[in-house]
PDB file of all heavy atoms in Angstrom:
ATOM      1  N   THR A   1       0.848  -1.191   0.000  1.00  0.00           N
ATOM      2  CA  THR A   1       0.000   0.000   0.000  1.00  0.00           C
ATOM      3  C   THR A   1       0.884   1.243   0.000  1.00  0.00           C
ATOM      4  O   THR A   1       1.700   1.422   0.901  1.00  0.00           O
ATOM      5  CB  THR A   1      -0.906   0.017   1.241  1.00  0.00           C
ATOM      6  OG1 THR A   1      -1.735  -1.145   1.217  1.00  0.00           O
ATOM      7  CG2 THR A   1      -1.786   1.268   1.254  1.00  0.00           C
ATOM      8  N   PRO A   2       0.750   2.119  -1.009  1.00  0.00           N
ATOM      9  CA  PRO A   2       1.601   3.314  -1.064  1.00  0.00           C
ATOM     10  C   PRO A   2       1.165   4.385  -0.070  1.00  0.00           C
ATOM     11  O   PRO A   2      -0.012   4.481   0.286  1.00  0.00           O
ATOM     12  CB  PRO A   2       1.423   3.805  -2.507  1.00  0.00           C
ATOM     13  CG  PRO A   2       0.072   3.304  -2.915  1.00  0.00           C
ATOM     14  CD  PRO A   2      -0.131   2.000  -2.189  1.00  0.00           C
ATOM     15  N   ASP A   3       2.120   5.195   0.366  1.00  0.00           N
ATOM     16  CA  ASP A   3       1.834   6.324   1.255  1.00  0.00           C
ATOM     17  C   ASP A   3       1.650   7.624   0.480  1.00  0.00           C
ATOM     18  O   ASP A   3       0.789   8.438   0.814  1.00  0.00           O
ATOM     19  CB  ASP A   3       2.962   6.508   2.270  1.00  0.00           C
ATOM     20  CG  ASP A   3       3.050   5.343   3.248  1.00  0.00           C
ATOM     21  OD1 ASP A   3       1.979   4.831   3.634  1.00  0.00           O
ATOM     22  OD2 ASP A   3       4.169   4.953   3.612  1.00  0.00           O
ATOM     23  N   ASP A   4       2.460   7.830  -0.554  1.00  0.00           N
ATOM     24  CA  ASP A   4       2.386   9.077  -1.316  1.00  0.00           C
ATOM     25  C   ASP A   4       1.037   9.181  -2.034  1.00  0.00           C
ATOM     26  O   ASP A   4       0.611   8.230  -2.711  1.00  0.00           O
ATOM     27  CB  ASP A   4       3.514   9.127  -2.341  1.00  0.00           C
ATOM     28  CG  ASP A   4       3.573  10.454  -3.074  1.00  0.00           C
ATOM     29  OD1 ASP A   4       2.875  10.584  -4.097  1.00  0.00           O
ATOM     30  OD2 ASP A   4       4.301  11.361  -2.616  1.00  0.00           O
ATOM     31  N   PRO A   5       0.330  10.322  -1.919  1.00  0.00           N
ATOM     32  CA  PRO A   5      -1.006  10.439  -2.532  1.00  0.00           C
ATOM     33  C   PRO A   5      -0.987  10.313  -4.047  1.00  0.00           C
ATOM     34  O   PRO A   5      -1.936   9.780  -4.638  1.00  0.00           O
ATOM     35  CB  PRO A   5      -1.479  11.816  -2.085  1.00  0.00           C
ATOM     36  CG  PRO A   5      -0.259  12.548  -1.651  1.00  0.00           C
ATOM     37  CD  PRO A   5       0.681  11.507  -1.137  1.00  0.00           C
ATOM     38  N   ARG A   6       0.065  10.777  -4.702  1.00  0.00           N
ATOM     39  CA  ARG A   6       0.141  10.653  -6.155  1.00  0.00           C
ATOM     40  C   ARG A   6       0.306   9.192  -6.563  1.00  0.00           C
ATOM     41  O   ARG A   6      -0.344   8.721  -7.510  1.00  0.00           O
ATOM     42  CB  ARG A   6       1.294  11.498  -6.695  1.00  0.00           C
ATOM     43  CG  ARG A   6       1.129  13.002  -6.476  1.00  0.00           C
ATOM     44  CD  ARG A   6       2.447  13.726  -6.623  1.00  0.00           C
ATOM     45  NE  ARG A   6       3.404  13.317  -5.584  1.00  0.00           N
ATOM     46  CZ  ARG A   6       4.651  13.781  -5.507  1.00  0.00           C
ATOM     47  NH1 ARG A   6       5.099  14.656  -6.407  1.00  0.00           N
ATOM     48  NH2 ARG A   6       5.449  13.373  -4.533  1.00  0.00           N
ATOM     49  N   LEU A   7       1.144   8.490  -5.834  1.00  0.00           N
ATOM     50  CA  LEU A   7       1.337   7.071  -6.117  1.00  0.00           C
ATOM     51  C   LEU A   7       0.080   6.281  -5.797  1.00  0.00           C
ATOM     52  O   LEU A   7      -0.301   5.363  -6.532  1.00  0.00           O
ATOM     53  CB  LEU A   7       2.518   6.556  -5.294  1.00  0.00           C
ATOM     54  CG  LEU A   7       3.153   5.239  -5.750  1.00  0.00           C
ATOM     55  CD1 LEU A   7       3.631   5.338  -7.179  1.00  0.00           C
ATOM     56  CD2 LEU A   7       4.300   4.868  -4.826  1.00  0.00           C
ATOM     57  N   ARG A   8      -0.596   6.658  -4.716  1.00  0.00           N
ATOM     58  CA  ARG A   8      -1.839   5.986  -4.360  1.00  0.00           C
ATOM     59  C   ARG A   8      -2.890   6.173  -5.450  1.00  0.00           C
ATOM     60  O   ARG A   8      -3.610   5.246  -5.823  1.00  0.00           O
ATOM     61  CB  ARG A   8      -2.351   6.511  -3.024  1.00  0.00           C
ATOM     62  CG  ARG A   8      -3.502   5.673  -2.438  1.00  0.00           C
ATOM     63  CD  ARG A   8      -3.984   6.235  -1.118  1.00  0.00           C
ATOM     64  NE  ARG A   8      -2.896   6.435  -0.167  1.00  0.00           N
ATOM     65  CZ  ARG A   8      -2.547   7.606   0.320  1.00  0.00           C
ATOM     66  NH1 ARG A   8      -3.181   8.705  -0.035  1.00  0.00           N
ATOM     67  NH2 ARG A   8      -1.544   7.698   1.173  1.00  0.00           N
ATOM     68  N   ALA A   9      -2.971   7.395  -6.014  1.00  0.00           N
ATOM     69  CA  ALA A   9      -3.938   7.667  -7.073  1.00  0.00           C
ATOM     70  C   ALA A   9      -3.631   6.831  -8.317  1.00  0.00           C
ATOM     71  O   ALA A   9      -4.534   6.274  -8.954  1.00  0.00           O
ATOM     72  CB  ALA A   9      -3.936   9.153  -7.417  1.00  0.00           C
ATOM     73  N   LEU A  10      -2.353   6.719  -8.661  1.00  0.00           N
ATOM     74  CA  LEU A  10      -1.964   5.909  -9.816  1.00  0.00           C
ATOM     75  C   LEU A  10      -2.318   4.439  -9.596  1.00  0.00           C
ATOM     76  O   LEU A  10      -2.874   3.784 -10.485  1.00  0.00           O
ATOM     77  CB  LEU A  10      -0.464   6.075 -10.067  1.00  0.00           C
ATOM     78  CG  LEU A  10       0.133   5.396 -11.299  1.00  0.00           C
ATOM     79  CD1 LEU A  10       1.399   6.138 -11.734  1.00  0.00           C
ATOM     80  CD2 LEU A  10       0.491   3.928 -11.038  1.00  0.00           C
ATOM     81  N   CYS A  11      -2.008   3.929  -8.410  1.00  0.00           N
ATOM     82  CA  CYS A  11      -2.304   2.523  -8.113  1.00  0.00           C
ATOM     83  C   CYS A  11      -3.804   2.253  -8.146  1.00  0.00           C
ATOM     84  O   CYS A  11      -4.242   1.176  -8.571  1.00  0.00           O
ATOM     85  CB  CYS A  11      -1.707   2.142  -6.762  1.00  0.00           C
ATOM     86  SG  CYS A  11       0.109   2.114  -6.739  1.00  0.00           S
ATOM     87  N   GLU A  12      -4.595   3.206  -7.714  1.00  0.00           N
ATOM     88  CA  GLU A  12      -6.049   3.034  -7.749  1.00  0.00           C
ATOM     89  C   GLU A  12      -6.563   2.984  -9.182  1.00  0.00           C
ATOM     90  O   GLU A  12      -7.488   2.223  -9.499  1.00  0.00           O
ATOM     91  CB  GLU A  12      -6.716   4.168  -6.973  1.00  0.00           C
ATOM     92  CG  GLU A  12      -6.540   4.050  -5.461  1.00  0.00           C
ATOM     93  CD  GLU A  12      -7.081   5.265  -4.719  1.00  0.00           C
ATOM     94  OE1 GLU A  12      -7.496   6.242  -5.383  1.00  0.00           O
ATOM     95  OE2 GLU A  12      -7.068   5.234  -3.465  1.00  0.00           O
ATOM     96  N   ILE A  13      -5.963   3.783 -10.072  1.00  0.00           N
ATOM     97  CA  ILE A  13      -6.362   3.767 -11.472  1.00  0.00           C
ATOM     98  C   ILE A  13      -6.135   2.386 -12.083  1.00  0.00           C
ATOM     99  O   ILE A  13      -7.011   1.814 -12.742  1.00  0.00           O
ATOM    100  CB  ILE A  13      -5.584   4.843 -12.272  1.00  0.00           C
ATOM    101  CG1 ILE A  13      -6.047   6.240 -11.875  1.00  0.00           C
ATOM    102  CG2 ILE A  13      -5.767   4.638 -13.781  1.00  0.00           C
ATOM    103  CD1 ILE A  13      -5.175   7.351 -12.431  1.00  0.00           C
ATOM    104  N   LEU A  14      -4.952   1.836 -11.843  1.00  0.00           N
ATOM    105  CA  LEU A  14      -4.632   0.538 -12.429  1.00  0.00           C
ATOM    106  C   LEU A  14      -5.341  -0.606 -11.709  1.00  0.00           C
ATOM    107  O   LEU A  14      -5.661  -1.622 -12.331  1.00  0.00           O
ATOM    108  CB  LEU A  14      -3.125   0.322 -12.421  1.00  0.00           C
ATOM    109  CG  LEU A  14      -2.329   1.265 -13.328  1.00  0.00           C
ATOM    110  CD1 LEU A  14      -0.851   0.896 -13.315  1.00  0.00           C
ATOM    111  CD2 LEU A  14      -2.858   1.257 -14.755  1.00  0.00           C
ATOM    112  N   SER A  15      -5.600  -0.463 -10.434  1.00  0.00           N
ATOM    113  CA  SER A  15      -6.353  -1.498  -9.724  1.00  0.00           C
ATOM    114  C   SER A  15      -7.776  -1.602 -10.270  1.00  0.00           C
ATOM    115  O   SER A  15      -8.347  -2.692 -10.319  1.00  0.00           O
ATOM    116  CB  SER A  15      -6.385  -1.192  -8.223  1.00  0.00           C
ATOM    117  OG  SER A  15      -5.091  -1.277  -7.657  1.00  0.00           O
ATOM    118  N   ALA A  16      -8.329  -0.470 -10.671  1.00  0.00           N
ATOM    119  CA  ALA A  16      -9.676  -0.471 -11.252  1.00  0.00           C
ATOM    120  C   ALA A  16      -9.682  -1.105 -12.635  1.00  0.00           C
ATOM    121  O   ALA A  16     -10.691  -1.669 -13.061  1.00  0.00           O
ATOM    122  CB  ALA A  16     -10.218   0.953 -11.323  1.00  0.00           C
ATOM    123  N   ASP A  17      -8.561  -1.040 -13.347  1.00  0.00           N
ATOM    124  CA  ASP A  17      -8.467  -1.609 -14.693  1.00  0.00           C
ATOM    125  C   ASP A  17      -7.039  -2.073 -14.945  1.00  0.00           C
ATOM    126  O   ASP A  17      -6.229  -1.335 -15.508  1.00  0.00           O
ATOM    127  CB  ASP A  17      -8.881  -0.582 -15.751  1.00  0.00           C
ATOM    128  CG  ASP A  17      -8.817  -1.154 -17.173  1.00  0.00           C
ATOM    129  OD1 ASP A  17      -8.708  -2.394 -17.299  1.00  0.00           O
ATOM    130  OD2 ASP A  17      -8.862  -0.357 -18.126  1.00  0.00           O
ATOM    131  N   PRO A  18      -6.698  -3.310 -14.546  1.00  0.00           N
ATOM    132  CA  PRO A  18      -5.330  -3.798 -14.748  1.00  0.00           C
ATOM    133  C   PRO A  18      -4.922  -3.872 -16.225  1.00  0.00           C
ATOM    134  O   PRO A  18      -3.733  -3.952 -16.524  1.00  0.00           O
ATOM    135  CB  PRO A  18      -5.360  -5.195 -14.117  1.00  0.00           C
ATOM    136  CG  PRO A  18      -6.490  -5.156 -13.152  1.00  0.00           C
ATOM    137  CD  PRO A  18      -7.514  -4.273 -13.792  1.00  0.00           C
ATOM    138  N   ALA A  19      -5.885  -3.852 -17.131  1.00  0.00           N
ATOM    139  CA  ALA A  19      -5.572  -3.907 -18.560  1.00  0.00           C
ATOM    140  C   ALA A  19      -5.155  -2.553 -19.113  1.00  0.00           C
ATOM    141  O   ALA A  19      -4.759  -2.455 -20.280  1.00  0.00           O
ATOM    142  CB  ALA A  19      -6.776  -4.438 -19.338  1.00  0.00           C
ATOM    143  N   ASP A  20      -5.227  -1.519 -18.315  1.00  0.00           N
ATOM    144  CA  ASP A  20      -4.791  -0.187 -18.735  1.00  0.00           C
ATOM    145  C   ASP A  20      -3.288  -0.241 -19.034  1.00  0.00           C
ATOM    146  O   ASP A  20      -2.474  -0.462 -18.140  1.00  0.00           O
ATOM    147  CB  ASP A  20      -5.074   0.820 -17.612  1.00  0.00           C
ATOM    148  CG  ASP A  20      -4.825   2.264 -18.022  1.00  0.00           C
ATOM    149  OD1 ASP A  20      -4.000   2.481 -18.925  1.00  0.00           O
ATOM    150  OD2 ASP A  20      -5.447   3.159 -17.425  1.00  0.00           O
ATOM    151  N   ASN A  21      -2.930  -0.033 -20.295  1.00  0.00           N
ATOM    152  CA  ASN A  21      -1.542  -0.186 -20.709  1.00  0.00           C
ATOM    153  C   ASN A  21      -0.813   1.136 -20.860  1.00  0.00           C
ATOM    154  O   ASN A  21       0.260   1.188 -21.483  1.00  0.00           O
ATOM    155  CB  ASN A  21      -1.466  -0.951 -22.040  1.00  0.00           C
ATOM    156  CG  ASN A  21      -1.582  -2.457 -21.842  1.00  0.00           C
ATOM    157  OD1 ASN A  21      -0.946  -3.026 -20.965  1.00  0.00           O
ATOM    158  ND2 ASN A  21      -2.412  -3.086 -22.653  1.00  0.00           N
ATOM    159  N   ARG A  22      -1.342   2.216 -20.284  1.00  0.00           N
ATOM    160  CA  ARG A  22      -0.664   3.496 -20.403  1.00  0.00           C
ATOM    161  C   ARG A  22       0.721   3.455 -19.759  1.00  0.00           C
ATOM    162  O   ARG A  22       0.948   2.751 -18.786  1.00  0.00           O
ATOM    163  CB  ARG A  22      -1.510   4.591 -19.740  1.00  0.00           C
ATOM    164  CG  ARG A  22      -2.645   5.096 -20.616  1.00  0.00           C
ATOM    165  CD  ARG A  22      -3.436   6.187 -19.932  1.00  0.00           C
ATOM    166  NE  ARG A  22      -4.269   5.637 -18.850  1.00  0.00           N
ATOM    167  CZ  ARG A  22      -5.053   6.395 -18.084  1.00  0.00           C
ATOM    168  NH1 ARG A  22      -5.097   7.708 -18.271  1.00  0.00           N
ATOM    169  NH2 ARG A  22      -5.788   5.828 -17.136  1.00  0.00           N
ATOM    170  N   THR A  23       1.613   4.240 -20.332  1.00  0.00           N
ATOM    171  CA  THR A  23       2.972   4.323 -19.797  1.00  0.00           C
ATOM    172  C   THR A  23       2.970   5.066 -18.471  1.00  0.00           C
ATOM    173  O   THR A  23       1.998   5.734 -18.110  1.00  0.00           O
ATOM    174  CB  THR A  23       3.893   5.051 -20.777  1.00  0.00           C
ATOM    175  OG1 THR A  23       3.450   6.415 -20.898  1.00  0.00           O
ATOM    176  CG2 THR A  23       3.881   4.385 -22.154  1.00  0.00           C
ATOM    177  N   LEU A  24       4.100   4.967 -17.769  1.00  0.00           N
ATOM    178  CA  LEU A  24       4.225   5.687 -16.503  1.00  0.00           C
ATOM    179  C   LEU A  24       4.154   7.195 -16.742  1.00  0.00           C
ATOM    180  O   LEU A  24       3.591   7.924 -15.916  1.00  0.00           O
ATOM    181  CB  LEU A  24       5.542   5.307 -15.822  1.00  0.00           C
ATOM    182  CG  LEU A  24       5.753   5.808 -14.393  1.00  0.00           C
ATOM    183  CD1 LEU A  24       4.626   5.349 -13.480  1.00  0.00           C
ATOM    184  CD2 LEU A  24       7.100   5.330 -13.857  1.00  0.00           C
ATOM    185  N   ALA A  25       4.686   7.656 -17.869  1.00  0.00           N
ATOM    186  CA  ALA A  25       4.623   9.082 -18.182  1.00  0.00           C
ATOM    187  C   ALA A  25       3.176   9.531 -18.383  1.00  0.00           C
ATOM    188  O   ALA A  25       2.761  10.590 -17.889  1.00  0.00           O
ATOM    189  CB  ALA A  25       5.450   9.388 -19.429  1.00  0.00           C
ATOM    190  N   ALA A  26       2.389   8.723 -19.101  1.00  0.00           N
ATOM    191  CA  ALA A  26       0.988   9.081 -19.345  1.00  0.00           C
ATOM    192  C   ALA A  26       0.187   9.043 -18.048  1.00  0.00           C
ATOM    193  O   ALA A  26      -0.665   9.916 -17.806  1.00  0.00           O
ATOM    194  CB  ALA A  26       0.386   8.126 -20.370  1.00  0.00           C
ATOM    195  N   LEU A  27       0.440   8.071 -17.217  1.00  0.00           N
ATOM    196  CA  LEU A  27      -0.246   8.010 -15.931  1.00  0.00           C
ATOM    197  C   LEU A  27       0.185   9.161 -15.030  1.00  0.00           C
ATOM    198  O   LEU A  27      -0.612   9.699 -14.264  1.00  0.00           O
ATOM    199  CB  LEU A  27       0.040   6.668 -15.256  1.00  0.00           C
ATOM    200  CG  LEU A  27      -0.606   5.444 -15.928  1.00  0.00           C
ATOM    201  CD1 LEU A  27       0.050   4.159 -15.440  1.00  0.00           C
ATOM    202  CD2 LEU A  27      -2.106   5.420 -15.661  1.00  0.00           C
ATOM    203  N   GLY A  28       1.440   9.544 -15.135  1.00  0.00           N
ATOM    204  CA  GLY A  28       1.926  10.674 -14.351  1.00  0.00           C
ATOM    205  C   GLY A  28       1.209  11.957 -14.686  1.00  0.00           C
ATOM    206  O   GLY A  28       0.911  12.775 -13.796  1.00  0.00           O
ATOM    207  N   ALA A  29       0.917  12.148 -15.980  1.00  0.00           N
ATOM    208  CA  ALA A  29       0.164  13.339 -16.380  1.00  0.00           C
ATOM    209  C   ALA A  29      -1.222  13.336 -15.759  1.00  0.00           C
ATOM    210  O   ALA A  29      -1.777  14.404 -15.455  1.00  0.00           O
ATOM    211  CB  ALA A  29       0.071  13.390 -17.908  1.00  0.00           C
ATOM    212  N   ARG A  30      -1.754  12.154 -15.533  1.00  0.00           N
ATOM    213  CA  ARG A  30      -3.093  12.040 -14.927  1.00  0.00           C
ATOM    214  C   ARG A  30      -3.062  12.367 -13.433  1.00  0.00           C
ATOM    215  O   ARG A  30      -4.009  12.971 -12.908  1.00  0.00           O
ATOM    216  CB  ARG A  30      -3.618  10.614 -15.148  1.00  0.00           C
ATOM    217  CG  ARG A  30      -4.939  10.296 -14.478  1.00  0.00           C
ATOM    218  CD  ARG A  30      -6.127  10.931 -15.172  1.00  0.00           C
ATOM    219  NE  ARG A  30      -7.357  10.590 -14.497  1.00  0.00           N
ATOM    220  CZ  ARG A  30      -8.046   9.459 -14.716  1.00  0.00           C
ATOM    221  NH1 ARG A  30      -7.625   8.583 -15.628  1.00  0.00           N
ATOM    222  NH2 ARG A  30      -9.152   9.224 -14.052  1.00  0.00           N
ATOM    223  N   VAL A  31      -2.001  11.997 -12.738  1.00  0.00           N
ATOM    224  CA  VAL A  31      -1.962  12.178 -11.276  1.00  0.00           C
ATOM    225  C   VAL A  31      -1.115  13.367 -10.844  1.00  0.00           C
ATOM    226  O   VAL A  31      -0.982  13.630  -9.650  1.00  0.00           O
ATOM    227  CB  VAL A  31      -1.460  10.886 -10.579  1.00  0.00           C
ATOM    228  CG1 VAL A  31      -2.347   9.700 -10.929  1.00  0.00           C
ATOM    229  CG2 VAL A  31      -0.001  10.592 -10.932  1.00  0.00           C
ATOM    230  N   GLY A  32      -0.517  14.059 -11.807  1.00  0.00           N
ATOM    231  CA  GLY A  32       0.225  15.274 -11.472  1.00  0.00           C
ATOM    232  C   GLY A  32       1.625  15.046 -10.968  1.00  0.00           C
ATOM    233  O   GLY A  32       2.079  15.716 -10.033  1.00  0.00           O
ATOM    234  N   ALA A  33       2.336  14.102 -11.580  1.00  0.00           N
ATOM    235  CA  ALA A  33       3.728  13.835 -11.203  1.00  0.00           C
ATOM    236  C   ALA A  33       4.484  13.401 -12.438  1.00  0.00           C
ATOM    237  O   ALA A  33       3.931  12.768 -13.346  1.00  0.00           O
ATOM    238  CB  ALA A  33       3.801  12.758 -10.121  1.00  0.00           C
ATOM    239  N   SER A  34       5.771  13.688 -12.481  1.00  0.00           N
ATOM    240  CA  SER A  34       6.581  13.314 -13.629  1.00  0.00           C
ATOM    241  C   SER A  34       6.899  11.820 -13.594  1.00  0.00           C
ATOM    242  O   SER A  34       6.818  11.164 -12.547  1.00  0.00           O
ATOM    243  CB  SER A  34       7.888  14.105 -13.632  1.00  0.00           C
ATOM    244  OG  SER A  34       8.730  13.683 -12.561  1.00  0.00           O
ATOM    245  N   GLU A  35       7.274  11.302 -14.756  1.00  0.00           N
ATOM    246  CA  GLU A  35       7.666   9.895 -14.841  1.00  0.00           C
ATOM    247  C   GLU A  35       8.842   9.611 -13.912  1.00  0.00           C
ATOM    248  O   GLU A  35       8.860   8.584 -13.217  1.00  0.00           O
ATOM    249  CB  GLU A  35       8.042   9.550 -16.280  1.00  0.00           C
ATOM    250  CG  GLU A  35       8.498   8.120 -16.465  1.00  0.00           C
ATOM    251  CD  GLU A  35       8.886   7.812 -17.901  1.00  0.00           C
ATOM    252  OE1 GLU A  35       9.001   8.762 -18.708  1.00  0.00           O
ATOM    253  OE2 GLU A  35       9.087   6.621 -18.214  1.00  0.00           O
ATOM    254  N   ARG A  36       9.796  10.524 -13.874  1.00  0.00           N
ATOM    255  CA  ARG A  36      10.977  10.320 -13.037  1.00  0.00           C
ATOM    256  C   ARG A  36      10.605  10.293 -11.553  1.00  0.00           C
ATOM    257  O   ARG A  36      11.101   9.449 -10.794  1.00  0.00           O
ATOM    258  CB  ARG A  36      11.969  11.441 -13.304  1.00  0.00           C
ATOM    259  CG  ARG A  36      13.293  11.298 -12.558  1.00  0.00           C
ATOM    260  CD  ARG A  36      14.266  12.363 -13.010  1.00  0.00           C
ATOM    261  NE  ARG A  36      15.545  12.241 -12.324  1.00  0.00           N
ATOM    262  CZ  ARG A  36      16.597  13.005 -12.565  1.00  0.00           C
ATOM    263  NH1 ARG A  36      16.512  13.960 -13.492  1.00  0.00           N
ATOM    264  NH2 ARG A  36      17.718  12.836 -11.901  1.00  0.00           N
ATOM    265  N   THR A  37       9.709  11.203 -11.156  1.00  0.00           N
ATOM    266  CA  THR A  37       9.279  11.239  -9.759  1.00  0.00           C
ATOM    267  C   THR A  37       8.559   9.947  -9.373  1.00  0.00           C
ATOM    268  O   THR A  37       8.815   9.359  -8.316  1.00  0.00           O
ATOM    269  CB  THR A  37       8.363  12.441  -9.514  1.00  0.00           C
ATOM    270  OG1 THR A  37       9.108  13.642  -9.705  1.00  0.00           O
ATOM    271  CG2 THR A  37       7.792  12.421  -8.091  1.00  0.00           C
ATOM    272  N   LEU A  38       7.657   9.489 -10.242  1.00  0.00           N
ATOM    273  CA  LEU A  38       6.904   8.273  -9.941  1.00  0.00           C
ATOM    274  C   LEU A  38       7.815   7.044  -9.900  1.00  0.00           C
ATOM    275  O   LEU A  38       7.640   6.165  -9.055  1.00  0.00           O
ATOM    276  CB  LEU A  38       5.801   8.079 -10.974  1.00  0.00           C
ATOM    277  CG  LEU A  38       4.631   9.067 -10.875  1.00  0.00           C
ATOM    278  CD1 LEU A  38       3.694   8.905 -12.071  1.00  0.00           C
ATOM    279  CD2 LEU A  38       3.862   8.874  -9.572  1.00  0.00           C
ATOM    280  N   ALA A  39       8.774   6.977 -10.816  1.00  0.00           N
ATOM    281  CA  ALA A  39       9.708   5.849 -10.806  1.00  0.00           C
ATOM    282  C   ALA A  39      10.479   5.814  -9.492  1.00  0.00           C
ATOM    283  O   ALA A  39      10.699   4.738  -8.905  1.00  0.00           O
ATOM    284  CB  ALA A  39      10.663   5.948 -11.993  1.00  0.00           C
ATOM    285  N   ARG A  40      10.881   6.990  -9.024  1.00  0.00           N
ATOM    286  CA  ARG A  40      11.598   7.059  -7.743  1.00  0.00           C
ATOM    287  C   ARG A  40      10.690   6.639  -6.590  1.00  0.00           C
ATOM    288  O   ARG A  40      11.117   5.914  -5.676  1.00  0.00           O
ATOM    289  CB  ARG A  40      12.107   8.482  -7.525  1.00  0.00           C
ATOM    290  CG  ARG A  40      12.794   8.697  -6.176  1.00  0.00           C
ATOM    291  CD  ARG A  40      13.292  10.124  -6.035  1.00  0.00           C
ATOM    292  NE  ARG A  40      12.226  11.092  -6.204  1.00  0.00           N
ATOM    293  CZ  ARG A  40      11.340  11.417  -5.263  1.00  0.00           C
ATOM    294  NH1 ARG A  40      11.378  10.808  -4.084  1.00  0.00           N
ATOM    295  NH2 ARG A  40      10.414  12.322  -5.496  1.00  0.00           N
TER     296      ARG A  40
END
């Protein structure tokens, strides 16, 4: 379970639809964080 709210929002998106194949960069644009930040 993630603590960071941006990471939590991303995980909730994919948990709702595991078939979502968007890249980390595209998901980052949705949750307001860069790909580099989310990878870290």
